[in-house]
Amino acid sequence: MNWKHTISMAALATMLAGPAFAQDKQQLAFVVNAASDFWKLAEAGVNKAQAELPNYELQFRYPAQGTAALQNSLMDDLVAAGTDAIMISSADPKNSIDAFNRIAGQVPLFTTDSDAPDSDRIAYLGSSNTLAGEQAGEIAVKALPDGGKCMGFVGFLGADNAIERIAGFRSAIEGSGIELVDVRGDDVDFARARSNVDDVLAANPDITCMVGFYSYNPPKIYEALQAAGKLGQITVIAFDEDPITLGAVREGSFAGTVVQDPYQWGYQGMLLMAKYLEGDMSGVPEDGLIIVPTKVIDAANVDAFEAELKARIGG
């Protein structure tokens, strides 16, 4: 063997050893459904988990757009790049079953935020969207003792989290004189989310209540009501903890908001996947559902809640 051949073989060995060494840490990925500020808390939770999981490399990934096709393509890319487990908030779980099963056949797959129970995912970690919807309905019943007509606004009408929240809301308002007339979808198009509210204000003067079922819907409701001079005239029930939403709750423009705990989704989700990869499956319940409680935020507890949020993101 001449020296040139010896050197080339050594170089090849170095090149082969480099990536192998880089891949020593197992990789966990958290994939969200859209680029929304809502996910900053989940990302903070993932960052906390990273500090406790030095032997893992954690990734927090946004799809280029909030579509099932791009999410599923992103998961394929992650698997191809050597990712060892994935947690995803699906934009369209019902139409992603085949893609989910393909991914789940290669790496452990978990869901959060919007479940895909008919897929081969291992477990769902997140809110009970039905219970959260019921909490929103209870806010409405308290705020509208004489009844009223509500219009709902949401991103993905077909997503399980939307369907379950709407069903929970309808269940809670049954017999109260409150009617959820309709729910308008926007496919996480923020301009459309705003125009949906504007259209309702123009075409449905009998609406006395609005419900924003996704995190960005309540701020768009606020913007539209403010522009129309109707803040405080229409009862608003919100979801999640956008700063505009919390400010509206504080000033009394919104009756209240139902908040989830995406920080814990990110934090607990990463720890759950790491344990699973290590062979510890004790964190996966028999029914595959790990429920992180939701709670109602109103004028009485909004300041304390906001302080907790700032501490988590800052930490």
Side-chain angles (χ1 to χ4, degrees):
M1 184 180 290
N2 63 36
W3 65 269
K4 289 184 178 179
H5 187 60
T6 302
I7 292 174
S8 66
M9 289 297 289
L12 178 60
T14 301
M15 286 188 290
L16 290 175
F21 181 78
Q23 293 296 321
D24 277 353
K25 291 187 177 183
Q26 289 187 291
Q27 300 178 62
L28 311 178
F30 193 110
V31 178
V32 305
N33 57 8
S36 167
D37 285 348
F38 171 78
W39 290 112
K40 287 181 179 178
L41 279 163
E43 190 166 5
V46 169
N47 290 340
K48 181 186 179 186
Q50 178 68 85
E52 298 179 19
L53 297 170
N55 295 325
Y56 291 84
E57 180 184 334
L58 310 188
Q59 301 181 60
F60 196 90
R61 300 295 296 271
Y62 293 86
Q65 291 178 304
T67 67
L70 286 173
Q71 277 190 308
N72 298 336
S73 176
L74 175 55
M75 286 198 294
D76 284 331
D77 291 344
L78 287 168
V79 172
T83 301
D84 296 284
I86 297 173
M87 178 167 279
I88 183 169
S89 168
S90 178
D92 187 1
K94 283 187 170 53
N95 292 313
S96 300
I97 301 300
D98 289 344
F100 276 28
N101 290 347
R102 182 180 70 250
I103 297 297
Q106 301 172 80
V107 299
L109 179 67
F110 296 77
T111 55
T112 187
D113 186 36
S114 188
D115 196 10
D118 295 330
S119 74
D120 294 334
R121 62 94 172 114
I122 291 162
Y124 166 79
L125 188 153
S127 305
S128 166
N129 287 293
T130 300
L131 293 177
E134 290 174 2
Q135 288 175 310
E138 290 162 4
I139 297 173
V141 170
K142 183 178 178 181
L144 296 164
D146 299 322
K149 290 188 174 182
C150 297
M151 184 68 75
F153 303 91
V154 76
F156 300 114
L157 283 165
D160 279 5
N161 59 357
I163 293 169
E164 291 167 6
R165 289 177 196 182
I166 293 164
F169 185 88
R170 290 190 190 278
S171 173
I173 63 173
E174 191 172 350
S176 69
I178 300 170
E179 177 189 2
L180 183 61
V181 177
D182 195 10
V183 181
R184 306 287 173 86
D186 54 57
D187 296 324
V188 195
D189 179 330
F190 294 168
R192 187 172 157 200
R194 167 62 191 273
S195 66
N196 279 349
V197 184
D198 291 333
D199 292 347
V200 167
L201 287 173
N204 303 82
D206 57 334
I207 292 297
T208 59
C209 156
M210 292 183 172
V211 187
F213 285 101
Y214 273 15
S215 63
Y216 60 86
N217 291 122
K220 295 304 176 185
I221 292 171
Y222 187 92
E223 290 175 10
L225 292 180
Q226 187 177 51
K230 294 188 176 182
L231 270 178
Q233 298 176 30
I234 291 178
T235 298
V236 180
I237 294 93
F239 274 80
D240 300 319
E241 61 284 317
D242 186 279
I244 292 174
T245 297
L246 296 179
V249 170
R250 179 179 294 105
E251 72 185 24
S253 299
F254 285 8
T257 185
V258 179
V259 298
Q260 306 178 88
D261 201 344
Y263 180 88
Q264 291 297 338
W265 303 351
Y267 175 63
Q268 293 184 30
M270 297 297 104
L271 298 184
L272 175 69
M273 290 198 292
K275 287 180 179 178
Y276 190 90
L277 288 174
E278 291 163 10
D280 181 356
M281 302 178 189
S282 61
V284 178
E286 190 173 340
D287 64 1
L289 300 175
I290 304 164
I291 301 303
V292 180
T294 53
K295 61 182 176 181
V296 172
I297 302 300
D298 56 23
N301 61 359
V302 65
D303 288 338
F305 176 71
E306 195 159 36
E308 179 186 355
L309 290 184
K310 288 177 179 176
R312 280 180 162 181
I313 294 178

